[in-house]
Amino acid sequence: MVSPALPASVLDLAPVVPVVVIEDVGDAVPLARALVAGGLPAIEVTLRTPAALEAIREIAREVPGAVVGAGTVIRPEQVGQAVAAGSRFLVSPGWTDGLLEAMRASGVPFLPGVSTASEVVALLERGVREMKFFPAQAAGGTAYLKSLSGPLPQARFCPTGGIGPDCAPDYLALPNVGCVGGSWMLPPDAVAGRDWGRVEALAREASALSAGGASALSAGGTCR
């Protein structure tokens, strides 16, 4: 399997980016293979556990179909560690000038996190047009993002936080949303039981989501 070329934008890799917390490095490769087989090549491994960097390293080495990135990047020194481990993109829940400079200098695509219009304007002022909107549901959801599209049409987002299959299509229908992040295709019991077939099936459903795909999985656009 040939590793997919990384596009100029992380937002164009897939409609859904799985947000993965890995406790056991031994789960990293089979989990990533299941996600890729289900059509979700972009995998955000959060730097929330001691296993995260080694998990990124293993996925980068053993799963050529994956585009693995690091999430929950909150300190400048984590940027170099993540890229050295094989991260091909970076995601942060928020940003500072120091963190932004480190991500920009890394040479890989990055999505700094925002939750307010002022933060969006500040990033646009610094030449950044692609961002993570977090925590999406708690910060105003689709209504908030829709309201930003008028005055700030140049900003594009990957909303993450509280998003599930029922409302993901509503986010994807917005003109300023390129993809969404979520973990619903990784139920804790499936991961704990190493039921990679179930993960693959859920990933396949997620990969089929689009702005027009709400009817298949949703009755009203509320997240679960």
Side-chain angles (χ1 to χ4, degrees):
M1 183 182 296
V2 178
S3 183
L6 188 64
S9 170
V10 179
L11 303 184
D12 296 330
L13 281 168
V16 178
V17 176
V19 179
V20 181
V21 179
I22 295 180
E23 302 284 351
D24 184 341
V25 173
D27 291 338
V29 169
L31 184 153
R33 285 175 174 159
L35 292 173
V36 172
L40 299 180
I43 301 170
E44 177 188 335
V45 177
T46 64
L47 301 184
R48 302 181 196 174
T49 70
L53 287 174
E54 185 59 27
I56 290 170
R57 191 171 290 111
E58 288 293 310
I59 294 170
R61 182 169 56 220
E62 300 293 337
V63 190
V67 179
V68 64
T72 320
V73 178
I74 58 174
R75 300 190 305 275
E77 62 268 25
Q78 290 178 311
V79 172
Q81 294 167 353
V83 173
S87 296
R88 299 177 67 193
F89 64 91
L90 305 166
V91 184
S92 67
W95 65 279
T96 65
D97 281 321
L99 180 59
L100 186 66
E101 182 57 34
M103 291 193 293
R104 197 195 299 271
S106 72
V108 302
F110 58 92
L111 297 174
V114 297
S115 61
T116 69
S118 293
E119 291 171 320
V120 175
V121 170
L123 282 178
L124 290 173
E125 187 177 84
R126 289 160 173 80
V128 178
R129 289 178 168 75
E130 297 189 344
M131 312 164 196
K132 170 179 177 172
F133 180 59
F134 176 83
Q137 286 291 95
T142 54
Y144 193 89
L145 281 174
K146 184 176 181 180
S147 71
L148 291 180
S149 66
L152 303 170
Q154 62 272 56
R156 294 180 73 213
F157 302 94
C158 174
T160 306
I163 297 176
D166 294 324
C167 63
D170 297 328
Y171 281 95
L172 293 169
L174 297 175
N176 55 352
V177 168
C179 64
V180 300
S183 57
W184 72 86
M185 72 296 298
L186 297 162
D189 60 331
V191 175
R194 294 175 169 81
D195 187 351
W196 308 126
R198 182 179 171 201
V199 170
E200 180 181 338
L202 290 170
R204 187 168 292 108
E205 290 182 357
S207 70
L209 289 175
S210 66
S215 60
L217 291 173
S218 169
T222 58
C223 273
R224 66 184 181 196

